[in-house]
Amino acid sequence: AQSAVINIDGSGLQPITPNNGMGHTAVRPDGMAIAASSSQAPVIVLIERSGDGWAAPRTILRAGTPASYASYDPRYASCSNIIFYYPAWLDSDHLVYGVGCGESGTPTFTHLFMTDVSTPGATETVDLGSMVEDLAGVAGKDFVTASSSVRLVSFPSFKGLRTVVIPDLLSTWMT
């Protein structure tokens, strides 16, 4: 997969991502950058505007080992690999994305996460999937991101947070 832009008349085709599986893209709200996940590597990259074109992709999130996600959901400990899915911008600083558990290359479940990517190397990550499960009084549900449309819903203070992100059409309960 690859992402590109093209003029409405069909001229000016300009690749944004390399042709290496980086097809799930999300445009930052200011239009000056694109986040993309890769089907071939557990990364999310940032591609920023550079003059009239686009800079080379820069990795902003790299998945850890499956065991490193077990504190979010114990099922991650048995995964053979981690896969990032469908990044979506919450605002110009925060990405919402799915973290999938792969077993022998086949995804088995996905949790929804949010990370502040405003500072290179920053890794403040929130497990939205577990927060939604806690609010709903359920456990072991899986989320897959499918849209970049996100809205904020305010709840009473929850684990020190005054606002919880509820993706609009972003999460799908899976059985």
Side-chain angles (χ1 to χ4, degrees):
Q2 180 179 25
S3 297
V5 293
I6 191 169
N7 295 326
I8 197 162
D9 66 3
S11 66
L13 178 65
Q14 187 177 42
I16 298 172
T17 64
N19 188 9
N20 65 357
M22 286 189 194
H24 300 129
T25 59
V27 178
R28 193 169 64 192
D30 65 7
M32 298 303 292
I34 293 174
S37 62
S38 171
S39 62
Q40 298 179 7
V43 298
I44 293 179
V45 299
L46 184 70
I47 304 125
E48 296 178 286
R49 293 288 293 167
S50 176
D52 290 336
W54 298 90
R58 175 174 54 91
T59 300
I60 56 173
L61 291 173
R62 181 176 304 279
T65 64
S68 69
Y69 290 87
S71 63
Y72 299 114
D73 185 323
R75 296 178 295 168
Y76 279 111
S78 65
C79 302
S80 59
N81 64 322
I82 296 295
I83 308 154
F84 285 151
Y85 290 109
Y86 307 108
W89 290 96
L90 174 61
D91 56 32
S92 291
D93 295 334
H94 298 88
L95 275 177
V96 176
Y97 54 95
V99 176
C101 168
E103 292 180 12
S104 303
T106 303
T108 57
F109 71 89
T110 303
H111 251 261
L112 197 59
F113 287 83
M114 178 185 69
T115 298
D116 180 342
V117 296
S118 61
T119 306
T123 57
E124 182 181 345
T125 298
V126 176
D127 176 7
L128 297 177
S130 291
M131 291 175 74
V132 171
E133 287 178 348
D134 287 349
L135 288 169
V138 297
K141 298 294 182 181
D142 307 328
F143 299 92
V144 177
T145 59
S147 167
S148 61
S149 175
V150 180
R151 68 176 193 259
L152 294 175
V153 178
S154 293
F155 288 94
S157 182
F158 179 75
K159 291 188 178 179
L161 298 174
R162 299 296 297 166
T163 304
V164 175
V165 179
I166 302 296
D168 183 24
L169 299 175
L170 250 173
S171 36
T172 303
W173 287 105
M174 298 178 67
T175 56

